[in-house]
Amino acid sequence: SAVISQKPSRDICQRGTSLTIQCQVDSQVTMMFWYRQQPGQSLTLIATANQGSEATYESGFVIDKFPISRPNLTFSTLTVSNMSPEDSSIYLCSSHRRANTEAFFGQGTRLTVV
Amino acid sequence: GNSVTQMEGPVTLSEEAFLTINCTYTATGYPSLFWYVQYPGEGLQLLLKATKADDKGSNKGFEATYRKETTSFHLEKGSVQVSDSAVYFCALYRSDTGNQFYFGTGTSLTVIP
């Protein structure tokens, strides 16, 4: 299994500012992902964080708005840029090893933009 | 494409009642199927999984059987407890489409004493 530490657990931010969320995995993993969970809805994949290269973004998400870094196999960051109230959501980091299909999740970051 | 359709909630049950949460999927090939649980203020935790047709996943009294003929993976528990109150997500995984998980919309369960 893998333990994922995600921080901050919650934040209240002013519109127009940016927030960086950190995700630390306790062991080396192949795949790391970032999801958004809007109130009362399911998880939507934002992007796959690739180690040493640019993240792969899903339709509707762009690098300028959600820059992602993954400098090594155990750490990734997601930045929510130029925030608006519509960005209020829970952001979840996830990881799994290619050979083991189980996905592990951080506890999430609850973001409120005012 | 790949998708998961999940029974809408919220669901409210009395303690010791029988639980069923329906989940059907659309996918080509043979995806792996999962149920995840999210307790208040926490991230998702794996509840159970099944990787091939007719497999039954089970954990903590919950069960789900991978039914390829009906493309379903319904979650059941014979006697729910207050501590089972949470949001439950059905998901499928395809290793040949970007190693991505596809989640249902989630079903909120509240168990009252």
Side-chain angles (χ1 to χ4, degrees), chain A residues 42, chain B residues 1-8 21-27 33-35 70-75 88-92 102-107:
Chain A
S42 186
Chain B
N2 301 303
S3 66
V4 175
T5 301
Q6 192 174 335
M7 168 180 165
E8 289 192 17
I21 300 177
N22 290 336
C23 171
T24 57
Y25 68 90
T26 300
L33 301 174
F34 301 79
W35 278 100
T70 54
T71 62
S72 65
F73 193 56
H74 304 321
L75 182 68
Y88 293 82
F89 291 90
C90 185
L92 73 82
Y102 300 85
F103 289 89
T105 53
T107 301

Side-chain angles (χ1 to χ4, degrees), chain A residues 28-49:
Chain A
Q28 292 188 349
V29 293
T30 304
M31 315 293 289
M32 292 184 75
F33 305 88
W34 287 97
Y35 288 86
R36 182 172 70 185
Q37 184 181 16
Q38 293 181 303
Q41 298 188 27
S42 186
L43 283 72
T44 301
L45 182 64
I46 297 171
T48 302

